[in-house]
Amino acid sequence: MKKTSTRLADGRELIYYDLRDDSVRDATDRRPLDRTVTTSEIRRDPLLGDSVAIASHRQGRTYHPPADKCPLCPSEGERLSEIPDSSYDVVVFENRFPSLAGDSGRCEVVCFTSDHNASFADLTEEQARLVLDAWTDRTSELSHLPSVAQVFCFENRGAEIGVTLGHPHGQIYAYPFTTPRTALMLRSAATHKEMTGGENLFDAVLERELAGERLVLEGEHWAAFVPYAAHWPYEVHLYPKRRVPDLLGLDEDARTEFPKVYLELLRRFDRIFGESEPPTPYIAAWHQAPFGSLEEFDGVVREDFALHLELFTIRRTSGKLKFLAGSESGMNVFINDVPPERAAERLREVASS
């Protein structure tokens, strides 16, 4: 992998990740852009104890542009985009309309491929490995920023999810605090550790699922399963079999196997509802241990947390979506219409030949 860092016309950082070591990235951003101005502010909810990002400048972000004006495609002739070069393998750049900025963190966009009509599932294993390397590199770099406590790599896919740019891409949020979901996991891990005399909760979950009926696929170094209490109609958790706290902890064997396992999982997701259905909308979310202090979590250390990816869709059956209505949105109590065991069975049924 070759890494080349440059700056866009408004001062934002852009980084090329190339498969070839002899790639030259010297194109300049020819757009007449003013410096980016953001209004991001973090406000803490005194009742719930969580944080909300107030970012009114995002109202003006690019919204469903036509394909010939996609800002994530390479620049070509007089059609200038966020990527100055005429080609790329993987690109990461600072979001022009970030939810988090400055002392409130940082937001980045990850373009998986220059092919506008592709998806992550269409990547080769070599390309998927390059994305993994980019995620890992960005996790490392962002973790050293003084305002960053946790790094979150994720992908939203599909208009039903709320995606406003059709080009295959993901995002990275670098939060200035430990997120509520992670805090809940850490508290559960702390309670389990105390109650069992030191057993790791993540290890116990993985061991149970490896032996159960909700296992979807398994490699030498990775395992994917539908969790016992899945929140979403089709939800899969992907774990490395050797517990590590973040992407930086993966060894070479796990990195080498990841593309094959993950691409197979994504391709199965696209076959859940039949070949005649549109591509399955999904969210793919990496959960990594915070880089800040864990003193508030009663004896849990970073190494107790288990890196894992959660992949889920809001489509519950053909032509129907799962909406977060009263119970889910009002009380955070999910109601799942698809039994996790049946979801796992379906994901095994659609395995590629």
Side-chain angles (χ1 to χ4, degrees):
M1 178 188 77
K2 182 180 180 181
K3 176 182 174 182
T4 306
S5 181
T6 185
R7 292 281 172 180
L8 296 174
D10 55 7
R12 288 175 294 133
E13 185 178 19
L14 179 144
I15 306 162
Y16 294 96
Y17 293 90
D18 285 295
L19 292 168
R20 293 172 55 97
D21 290 336
D22 60 354
S23 297
V24 177
R25 300 298 183 186
D26 55 7
T28 59
D29 185 1
R30 295 181 284 128
R31 297 173 297 171
L33 298 180
D34 294 328
R35 285 275 172 175
T36 300
V37 177
T38 65
T39 58
S40 181
E41 176 189 356
I42 301 296
R43 296 186 182 180
R44 188 166 180 82
D45 186 321
L47 295 181
L48 299 180
D50 58 9
S51 298
V52 177
I54 309 297
S56 60
H57 62 277
R58 284 175 52 78
Q59 287 280 33
R61 66 187 185 274
T62 308
Y63 188 81
H64 292 297
D68 62 352
K69 294 184 179 180
C70 173
L72 306 185
C73 287
S75 292
E76 184 176 355
E78 295 306 309
R79 189 181 67 79
L80 305 178
S81 74
E82 290 280 62
I83 295 90
D85 216 321
S86 59
S87 66
Y88 65 84
D89 291 334
V90 172
V91 164
V92 177
F93 61 87
E94 288 184 76
N95 198 322
R96 190 177 179 186
F97 304 96
S99 303
L100 309 167
D103 292 340
S104 297
R106 176 159 157 151
C107 292
E108 299 182 340
V109 177
V110 184
C111 298
F112 303 139
T113 171
S114 60
D115 185 351
H116 181 85
N117 297 312
S119 69
F120 200 116
D122 296 321
L123 301 182
T124 65
E125 290 185 17
E126 185 181 34
Q127 289 173 309
R129 168 61 189 266
L130 183 61
V131 175
L132 175 63
D133 289 343
W135 282 331
T136 305
D137 182 70
R138 296 315 300 153
T139 296
S140 175
E141 292 292 326
L142 293 171
S143 71
H144 290 98
L145 296 180
S147 63
V148 172
Q150 185 174 356
V151 179
F152 175 46
C153 307
F154 64 101
E155 179 193 2
N156 299 326
R157 204 275 287 266
E160 300 94 329
I161 296 293
V163 175
T164 57
L165 297 177
H167 196 103
H169 73 287
Q171 300 180 66
I172 302 175
Y173 278 19
Y175 297 102
F177 50 79
T178 297
T179 61
R181 283 287 302 279
T182 305
L184 282 173
M185 291 185 212
L186 289 168
R187 292 190 184 101
S188 295
T191 300
H192 185 87
K193 187 176 184 179
E194 181 180 3
M195 293 181 62
T196 60
E199 182 181 62
N200 183 274
L201 174 60
F202 297 97
D203 290 351
V205 168
L206 180 57
E207 182 179 1
R208 180 179 70 176
E209 297 296 357
L210 283 171
E213 60 182 320
R214 291 178 297 276
L215 187 65
V216 173
L217 63 91
E218 181 180 5
E220 184 178 354
H221 304 284
W222 294 86
F225 57 87
V226 178
Y228 171 74
H231 289 56
W232 299 94
Y234 290 91
E235 175 183 340
V236 175
H237 294 190
L238 178 63
Y239 275 66
K241 290 185 176 179
R242 183 179 69 87
R243 173 166 41 93
V244 295
D246 51 42
L247 290 165
L248 303 173
L250 293 174
D251 60 23
E252 183 58 30
D253 288 337
R255 293 181 184 281
T256 298
E257 187 182 70
F258 170 78
K260 180 179 180 179
V261 174
Y262 187 49
L263 290 172
E264 171 62 17
L265 192 56
L266 291 179
R267 290 161 187 168
R268 291 191 192 188
F269 252 60
D270 274 342
R271 292 193 292 269
I272 293 173
F273 305 103
E275 298 294 337
S276 62
E277 285 289 315
T280 302
Y282 66 73
I283 293 175
W286 280 109
H287 291 265
Q288 305 192 79
F291 288 96
S293 171
L294 301 185
E295 291 181 2
E296 64 181 290
F297 300 110
D298 300 324
V300 169
V301 296
R302 287 195 83 246
E303 288 68 28
D304 289 329
F305 192 87
L307 167 75
H308 62 284
L309 181 142
E310 296 185 8
L311 173 68
F312 62 89
T313 179
I314 62 171
R315 187 180 292 166
R316 56 187 175 88
T317 189
S318 180
K320 298 179 181 179
L321 301 180
K322 163 68 177 177
F323 292 102
L324 299 189
S327 185
E328 291 89 352
S329 295
M331 284 293 158
N332 201 28
V333 177
F334 276 68
I335 301 168
N336 190 352
D337 300 325
V338 181
E341 293 73 21
R342 173 55 190 149
E345 181 182 20
R346 178 58 181 158
L347 285 161
R348 291 192 298 267
E349 289 174 352
V350 296
S352 60
S353 57

